[in-house]
Amino acid sequence: MMKILFVCLGNICRSSSAEGVMKQLVEKAGLEDRFVIDSAGILSYHEGELPDSRMRAHAARRGYNLTHRSRPVRTADFYDFDIIIGMDDRNIEDLKERAPSLEAERKIHRMTDFCTRFTYADHVPDPYYGGAEGFEYVLDLLEDACAGLLEHLRKQ
């Protein structure tokens, strides 16, 4: 069983979408019994909230149903998950600061490191304060990176 945690700042746009995209890819591949997929935020500001309504609307147009409730990253996550994926450098830095050990720190990766089409992307930008095109671009990146991540994990 491979346990994956996606992390962004508030867990209402990027990481919750990555969770939804990855879950759908895993289901379509018939591998749902081999994965646990979750998401969390660096901050607890939105704890208990559904993903941003704009993100849910854009995701729904692509067939994703985002129902995750926001939660903050917990120390236990570093023990419970096999891979922890941050959306940008700040998320990566915050995760590394919270990692309880060097072994836990080695579990941290950048989402765009798994991109196969958008190889120029060095982070998944936060669409919260942007327009509709920002949400679409985030979904494009996440679809690419999640497919690359699944392929990477299947080869292991």
Side-chain angles (χ1 to χ4, degrees):
M1 180 74 65
M2 173 62 66
K3 297 179 179 180
I4 304 167
L5 181 68
F6 295 104
V7 177
C8 69
L9 186 62
N11 192 213
I12 60 166
C13 290
R14 298 172 290 170
S15 59
S16 56
S17 296
E19 176 187 347
V21 169
M22 192 68 178
K23 281 182 174 178
Q24 190 174 92
L25 284 173
V26 165
E27 285 174 20
K28 284 184 177 178
L31 301 171
E32 58 269 30
D33 61 331
R34 294 180 49 197
F35 289 90
V36 171
I37 301 163
D38 196 5
S39 63
I42 297 296
L43 303 176
S44 61
Y45 183 75
H46 297 286
E47 189 168 1
E49 294 179 19
L50 285 169
D52 181 272
S53 61
R54 298 164 297 170
M55 190 82 248
R56 288 194 327 261
H58 286 275
R61 284 195 280 280
R62 295 184 187 212
Y64 304 110
N65 184 22
L66 306 183
T67 59
H68 173 82
R69 295 283 178 167
S70 176
R71 71 167 183 88
V73 172
R74 301 180 291 257
T75 301
D77 291 331
F78 290 95
Y79 299 103
D80 295 341
F81 288 89
D82 300 303
I83 186 167
I84 300 171
I85 301 177
M87 299 296 144
D88 59 35
D89 287 343
R90 183 59 195 254
N91 301 153
I92 300 293
E93 289 171 20
D94 288 338
L95 286 165
K96 286 182 177 181
E97 286 176 12
R98 293 174 187 214
S101 67
L102 187 56
E103 181 182 334
E105 192 174 319
R106 288 187 192 116
K107 296 179 178 185
I108 301 167
H109 301 273
R110 179 177 288 102
M111 184 85 250
T112 51
D113 287 349
F114 299 100
C115 284
T116 59
R117 290 186 344 233
F118 293 94
T119 55
Y120 59 84
D122 63 355
H123 71 288
V124 179
D126 191 342
Y128 189 80
Y129 295 106
E133 62 282 343
F135 291 95
E136 290 297 320
Y137 179 62
V138 164
L139 287 167
D140 289 342
L141 285 174
L142 293 177
E143 288 174 342
D144 180 24
C146 286
L149 173 60
L150 182 58
E151 185 62 30
H152 171 78
L153 294 173
R154 289 175 93 169
K155 289 179 180 178
Q156 287 187 332

